[in-house]
Amino acid sequence: MAATTNLSNSRFISKTLTHSLNHNPFPQNPILPFKLSKNFSLKHLSLKATISQQNPATTTAQETNQFKHCFSKSQDGFLYCENLKVQEIMESVEKRPFYLYSKPQITRNVEAYKDALEGLRSIIGYAIKANNNLKILEHLRGLGCGAVLVSGNELRLALHAGFDPTRCIFNGNGKLLDDLVLAAQEGVFVNVDSEFDLENIVAAARIAGKKVNVLLRINPDVDPQVHPYVATGNKNSKFGIRNEKLQWFLDAVKAHPNELKLVGAHCHLGSTITKVDIFKDAAVLMVNYIDEIRAQGFEVDYLNIGGGLGIDYYHSGAVLPTPRDLIDTVRELVLSRDLNLIIEPGRSLIANTCCLVNRVTGVKTNGTKNFVVIDGSMAELIRPSLYDAYQHIELVSPASPSAEFSRFDVVGPVCESADFLGKDRELPAPAKGAGLVVHDAGAYCMSMASTYNLKMRPPEYWVEEDGSVSKIRHGETFEDHIRFFDGL
């Protein structure tokens, strides 16, 4: 099965592309963007993750053999999703920013994990926080996934989508009592994150009249080498219990045999991780903790190594680890202890299945910097503003042959200087109304969208297996906003 994290054949737009559709957006009084020097080299904005590097001269042969990704630029200069032109999809749907997914790509990504896990007892727990679209959740459930939850409403959504609650894991450092009662009633695994969390789980078990299967979320103090905002497994993190307090928690579980059954140990290192050895380092620590726990008479059968596998946001040909690379680093450890393995992928299942599709409002310059202004914004896709994250951007159709390549900041209309989708991007000057996509937008984009400046959250569509396009979420409207005030 092909890798899920090294799938795209897209490259930064080459100056050698020929284009036919766009025109000068200011034909009467042209404002020409600043040209790139011949020696200009585009530098990526980094999340400060350690990314496997490869000499670009050695990547060409490998890239041509990569698995065909759902979004690809054809020789005709048009961007396709599966076999459909994104431009034609734009012409058939609402004229506003929208998210476009490939349902077959979601399936391929799940199958990559299932193939990697062959020979192991396992649960693929999809992290609902990455993307909470109900239709996507129903599809993932149909593919055999469990669900990872970090709020009561995510638990309710998982149940509504038909997930087996005994294949669901409730995480979080501030779980509320009412939500824990529902988890106890449904038989969901619950991770213990703190002393007060354990106290609340015990109370929930008593209210529900059911024993709760719990895992101890141990902070292994392993540096995932990622942006500090997405690191969760080091000693400064708000998540998990300190490993030196393990005995205290074991004694507390022993003191509540009617409420708690300790079944496993859990860790989560962070997100956008690009070195699988980091997972192995943590797994070695975790199985040693499991040995200690078992030595005290607990029947511990589950190791949860979390999620966080990174993807190729840069579309630069970097060699990134695949699901099989990840699983193979911990396989022998899991087998040596006869454990069930729980993994919690979110980004690596859903991010590369989707683009945010926008239209160009215009091109401008302030004298020192050029801007492409689009109808999408930080309200629909906040990762660049929040984390200084990089996501690949390109036009969906060929530009005019006379369009000059320049460096642009791609920005939205929101009244914030932080409202950008990408900075210093090499693009041909696009025409007004041209389509522009932000790639790898399936994870932590729509789920983090807002209505700031009353930019209502966009609709979502996907390409089906038969090549048809279906709406999978209605776009919000001004009337939806007003409805919250009815009858007040």
Side-chain angles (χ1 to χ4, degrees):
M1 171 58 64
T4 62
T5 58
N6 195 18
L7 303 180
S8 176
N9 291 321
S10 299
R11 301 284 292 174
F12 291 109
I13 299 175
S14 167
K15 293 185 181 181
T16 62
L17 287 177
T18 58
H19 304 281
S20 62
L21 200 146
N22 289 358
H23 59 276
N24 189 330
F26 304 103
Q28 301 300 320
N29 297 293
I31 303 174
L32 297 180
F34 294 93
K35 297 179 182 179
L36 291 170
S37 70
K38 292 181 179 179
N39 297 322
F40 172 72
S41 176
L42 187 65
K43 294 181 179 180
H44 299 149
L45 299 178
S46 173
L47 271 179
K48 300 179 182 177
T50 301
I51 296 178
S52 302
Q53 298 297 320
Q54 186 175 23
N55 186 334
T58 67
T59 63
T60 304
Q62 181 177 9
E63 286 175 352
T64 58
N65 292 325
Q66 285 178 355
F67 184 73
K68 183 181 181 297
H69 185 251
C70 59
F71 289 98
S72 60
K73 222 29 168 332
S74 182
Q75 291 182 350
D76 61 8
F78 286 90
L79 182 69
Y80 286 76
C81 179
E82 300 298 342
N83 294 315
L84 299 181
K85 281 185 180 179
V86 175
Q87 179 67 46
E88 293 180 355
I89 296 173
M90 291 179 65
E91 294 167 357
S92 67
V93 300
E94 300 172 63
K95 299 298 187 286
R96 57 187 291 187
F98 64 93
Y99 282 98
L100 177 63
Y101 299 81
S102 162
K103 187 178 181 183
Q105 185 70 49
I106 298 173
T107 301
R108 291 192 289 262
N109 290 350
V110 173
E111 291 299 325
Y113 269 103
K114 291 168 74 172
D115 288 353
L117 288 161
E118 187 174 357
L120 296 175
R121 301 193 308 277
S122 63
I123 296 175
I124 301 173
Y126 168 68
I128 288 181
K129 62 191 174 79
N131 187 307
N132 55 32
N133 182 288
L134 177 60
K135 303 302 290 184
I136 291 172
L137 295 183
E138 290 173 342
H139 182 52
L140 290 168
R141 182 258 303 157
L143 293 171
C145 291
V148 174
L149 329 158
V150 292
S151 73
N153 280 340
E154 286 189 353
L155 169 55
R156 294 175 183 90
L157 184 61
L159 296 173
H160 183 82
F163 283 93
D164 179 352
T166 65
R167 293 173 60 82
C168 293
I169 304 94
F170 193 7
N171 289 336
N173 67 307
K175 298 184 286 291
L176 301 179
L177 180 59
D178 288 349
D179 299 333
L180 286 168
V181 170
L182 177 61
Q185 291 170 339
E186 297 292 337
V188 171
F189 290 107
V190 179
N191 279 322
V192 177
D193 190 87
S194 65
E195 293 87 344
F196 70 79
D197 195 38
L198 185 142
E199 180 181 332
N200 285 336
I201 297 168
V202 169
R206 290 171 177 167
I207 293 170
K210 290 189 176 182
K211 186 181 293 190
V212 180
N213 290 324
V214 298
L215 294 85
L216 295 179
R217 177 166 180 169
I218 300 172
N219 187 328
D221 194 16
V222 171
D223 180 9
Q225 302 177 38
V226 297
H227 191 289
Y229 288 5
V230 293
T232 60
N234 55 41
K235 64 182 178 181
N236 296 320
S237 174
K238 71 174 184 176
F239 299 103
I241 65 176
R242 303 197 313 273
N243 50 41
E244 61 266 28
K245 289 210 68 176
L246 176 60
Q247 189 58 55
W248 185 93
F249 282 90
L250 295 178
D251 291 341
V253 172
K254 290 177 185 176
H256 298 93
N258 296 323
E259 293 85 11
L260 306 176
K261 180 180 181 181
L262 180 58
V263 298
H266 170 252
C267 71
H268 194 289
L269 304 179
S271 192
T272 69
I273 298 171
T274 56
K275 281 190 171 182
V276 292
D277 284 350
I278 293 170
F279 289 98
K280 184 174 183 179
D281 293 344
V284 169
L285 294 173
M286 294 303 294
V287 296
N288 287 335
Y289 291 134
I290 286 174
D291 290 342
E292 294 181 28
I293 296 169
R294 283 176 167 176
Q296 298 192 36
F298 292 98
E299 295 180 1
V300 173
D301 295 321
Y302 291 90
L303 170 62
N304 185 337
I305 62 170
L309 189 64
I311 69 162
D312 183 13
Y313 277 114
Y314 297 93
H315 291 210
S316 62
V319 179
L320 298 182
T322 67
R324 182 168 294 279
D325 294 331
L326 167 60
I327 301 305
D328 283 350
T329 62
V330 301
R331 182 182 303 277
E332 294 307 317
L333 287 168
V334 172
L335 290 173
S336 70
R337 301 317 198 271
D338 192 26
L339 291 165
N340 294 276
L341 179 66
I342 301 175
I343 58 171
E344 301 179 347
R347 183 188 317 273
S348 56
L349 282 184
I350 199 69
N352 69 358
T353 71
C354 175
C355 284
L356 174 64
V357 184
N358 313 271
R359 286 177 173 81
V360 173
T361 303
V363 176
K364 65 178 290 187
T365 180
N366 65 6
T368 59
K369 186 178 282 291
N370 306 312
F371 300 92
V372 173
V373 183
I374 60 174
D375 54 358
S377 70
M378 65 184 291
E380 293 84 13
L381 198 152
I382 199 173
R383 292 186 69 255
S385 302
L386 185 62
Y387 304 129
D388 207 23
Y390 183 98
Q391 291 182 233
H392 185 50
I393 292 173
E394 64 181 328
L395 301 178
V396 306
S397 302
S400 167
S402 62
E404 296 183 354
F405 279 77
S406 296
R407 294 170 65 181
F408 293 95
D409 284 6
V410 179
V411 301
V414 162
C415 192
E416 294 284 346
S417 294
D419 179 25
F420 63 91
L421 285 300
K423 291 186 175 182
D424 295 318
R425 302 304 178 87
E426 182 185 1
L427 294 167
K432 180 179 180 179
L436 178 148
V437 300
V438 182
H439 280 280
D440 304 309
Y444 306 104
C445 293
M446 182 60 172
S447 67
M448 299 176 78
S450 74
T451 58
Y452 187 46
N453 286 192
L454 277 187
K455 284 183 89 319
M456 310 312 294
R457 281 177 286 237
E460 295 178 288
Y461 301 85
W462 68 14
V463 177
E464 305 261 11
E465 291 88 350
D466 63 2
S468 62
V469 175
S470 300
K471 179 182 282 190
I472 58 172
R473 176 173 171 144
H474 296 294
E476 296 177 10
T477 66
F478 177 74
E479 289 70 27
D480 292 325
H481 179 73
I482 295 299
R483 198 170 295 123
F484 287 113
F485 306 95
D486 287 349
L488 299 181

